[in-house]
Amino acid sequence: MIRIRDTYLRWIGPIGLFLFGNVFFRLSFWLSSPPRALIDSAVVGLGAGIAFWQLNRWLIERVQDRFPGLERTRQRLGLLLLLSLVVVNGAVFSRFGLHILLGSRQYWWLGFVDYVTSLGIQLFYHVVYFTIYEGRYILRQWQQTYQEKEEITKLQWQTRFNSLKSQVNPHFLFNSLNALSALIEESPGRASQFVDELSSMYRYLLQANDQEVIELGTELKFIESYTYLLRTRHGGGINVLLDVPDTFLNRALPPLTLQLLVENAVKHNMVLVDSPLLIQISTTEAGQLKVSNNLQRRNGRVDSNGVGLSNIVARYRMLTQADVIVRDQDGQFTVLLPLLQQRA
């Protein structure tokens, strides 16, 4: 009933209450009374019903204007309760008055039983009025509050997402320059090639930086270039194996996710020629992207600026309900990533 337009509800409601009330409260009267009494009762019942529907609707809307919002629901209900005591009695006496004006002598004297019976019926009607209009108002306010909260949450997550993306490039540049600095001293010729690869990688960064997600195939090509830079510095101390079926290459993930995971593995593990760090990127039967490495943790404290896994988890939380799964067991560190559908 809440979804019915109010223009129709003003007429459908009183008619419906009239029929309901006479079936459940006055059926014996309708079965035993003469036609004249039935006509008078219908005129009074429908006339008073329509009038008091409009009156109650007007009062409820004025109270809502005076005490707007969900936080003032208690004040509205308290005031409506006080007003209902007056309006309900007004409905009872007005109906008896209309019957008297129409010449019904049986209503000249209002007995206590008749008053209590009529009062109970009118209380029921007023509960219906309040339930419809106050209930609809509360529902709309709740929907509006929910939408506003969703918009605020979305804005907060988007702001955080933009902040997280801005953290990645400086972080990557810092580590790359450290690697280049070491390489310049060891081999100036290889350092030149390193700069070329670094330049091509930053072209990718410029492309990916404004995107929420990027194709897995594109990210894997980036990882191949990134692996070259790592192997230039560490030689045979690191191996990155890619084993991703072609059917998954058009799926998506947040940009630079794999770079952060590979970097994380290098940062926290020893990279030695006689004990290589093996990083494997593959897929699971469930369609997740699996990134794992053997554990050979560095001794002592590892410097970190807080980017890395927390960055990845936060970005995925903004994009999907699926969780990023992290496992550290049996000498392997494994991260399982949901693969997303590419957005239009």
Side-chain angles (χ1 to χ4, degrees):
M1 199 168 187
I2 291 176
R3 296 180 182 178
I4 299 176
R5 290 180 59 183
D6 189 58
T7 304
Y8 303 130
L9 189 59
R10 298 181 198 181
W11 298 99
I12 297 173
I15 294 173
L17 285 181
F18 172 79
L19 296 175
F20 179 88
N22 281 286
V23 169
F24 284 90
F25 302 132
R26 305 184 67 209
L27 184 60
S28 59
F29 171 81
W30 280 83
L31 294 176
S32 60
S33 298
R36 172 66 184 181
L38 296 179
I39 293 174
D40 290 346
S41 180
V43 170
V44 171
L46 283 174
I50 293 172
F52 277 89
W53 184 286
Q54 304 302 324
L55 175 61
N56 279 276
R57 172 183 169 277
W58 183 84
L59 285 173
I60 294 170
E61 289 181 348
R62 298 293 76 74
V63 172
Q64 290 168 351
D65 292 339
R66 179 67 178 81
F67 299 101
L70 292 176
E71 67 277 7
R72 296 187 176 182
T73 299
R74 183 176 299 178
Q75 292 95 319
R76 284 198 308 275
L77 293 180
L79 182 54
L80 288 174
L81 178 61
L82 293 176
L83 291 174
S84 68
L85 298 178
V86 177
V87 178
V88 167
N89 279 281
V92 172
F93 287 105
S94 65
R95 286 171 182 266
F96 277 90
L98 288 173
H99 279 293
I100 293 173
L101 290 176
L102 292 173
S104 300
R105 295 185 178 184
Q106 67 185 80
Y107 293 98
W108 285 6
W109 174 255
L110 178 60
F112 180 77
V113 175
D114 293 331
Y115 170 76
V116 171
T117 301
S118 297
L119 187 67
I121 294 173
Q122 294 307 311
L123 280 172
F124 171 80
Y125 289 164
H126 281 69
V127 168
V128 173
Y129 304 149
F130 294 155
T131 300
I132 290 174
Y133 286 103
E134 179 63 13
R136 182 166 62 177
Y137 179 82
I138 291 175
L139 179 60
R140 287 176 175 173
Q141 289 293 310
W142 179 84
Q143 290 174 334
Q144 181 179 344
T145 301
Y146 179 81
Q147 290 173 356
E148 290 174 352
K149 187 178 294 185
E150 284 291 301
E151 289 296 325
I152 293 173
T153 302
K154 182 178 179 181
L155 180 60
Q156 289 174 337
W157 278 114
Q158 186 62 45
T159 301
R160 187 179 178 189
F161 177 69
N162 293 337
S163 176
L164 287 171
K165 287 202 300 184
S166 69
Q167 292 180 36
V168 175
N169 291 355
H171 182 71
F172 174 72
L173 179 60
F174 175 79
N175 285 276
S176 297
L177 291 178
N178 275 346
L180 179 60
S181 176
L183 192 59
I184 288 174
E185 297 179 1
E186 297 172 4
S187 174
R190 293 174 61 197
S192 177
Q193 186 177 357
F194 187 96
V195 170
D196 290 339
E197 292 293 340
L198 189 60
S199 175
S200 96
M201 289 178 60
Y202 261 89
R203 282 196 294 270
Y204 169 82
L205 292 176
L206 291 174
Q207 171 193 352
N209 193 49
D210 293 330
Q211 300 183 42
E212 289 187 351
V213 295
I214 200 162
E215 280 193 354
L216 175 59
T218 304
E219 183 82 355
L220 289 174
K221 290 179 181 178
F222 171 78
I223 287 300
E224 290 176 349
S225 297
Y226 183 64
T227 301
Y228 172 82
L229 299 185
L230 291 175
R231 288 183 63 84
T232 300
R233 179 180 179 186
H234 298 288
I238 184 170
N239 287 313
V240 179
L241 301 181
L242 306 181
D243 184 19
V244 178
D246 292 344
T247 53
F248 290 99
L249 296 182
N250 62 346
R251 301 293 289 277
L253 74 169
L256 301 176
T257 296
L258 295 182
Q259 184 267 332
L260 284 172
L261 291 176
V262 172
E263 181 184 60
N264 191 65
V266 174
K267 181 190 302 180
H268 292 280
N269 292 276
M270 291 184 292
V271 181
L272 305 171
V273 175
D274 57 351
S275 180
L277 176 65
L278 177 61
I279 302 172
Q280 296 176 291
I281 301 175
S282 58
T283 55
T284 67
E285 293 182 357
Q288 299 164 303
L289 187 65
K290 179 181 178 182
V291 182
S292 62
N293 64 270
N294 55 320
L295 286 173
Q296 39 195 38
R297 291 188 173 93
R298 295 178 183 270
N299 297 322
R301 183 176 178 274
V302 177
D303 291 333
S304 175
N305 63 4
V307 183
L309 275 177
S310 60
N311 185 316
I312 294 170
V313 172
R315 286 193 288 169
Y316 264 101
R317 191 175 297 152
M318 289 180 255
L319 297 170
T320 179
Q321 297 297 319
D323 294 326
V324 173
I325 300 173
V326 180
R327 296 174 181 166
D328 184 348
Q329 58 187 21
D330 300 327
Q332 291 284 320
F333 186 83
T334 303
V335 178
L336 299 177
L337 302 167
L339 286 175
L340 311 174
Q341 295 293 338
Q342 183 71 280
R343 297 188 178 184

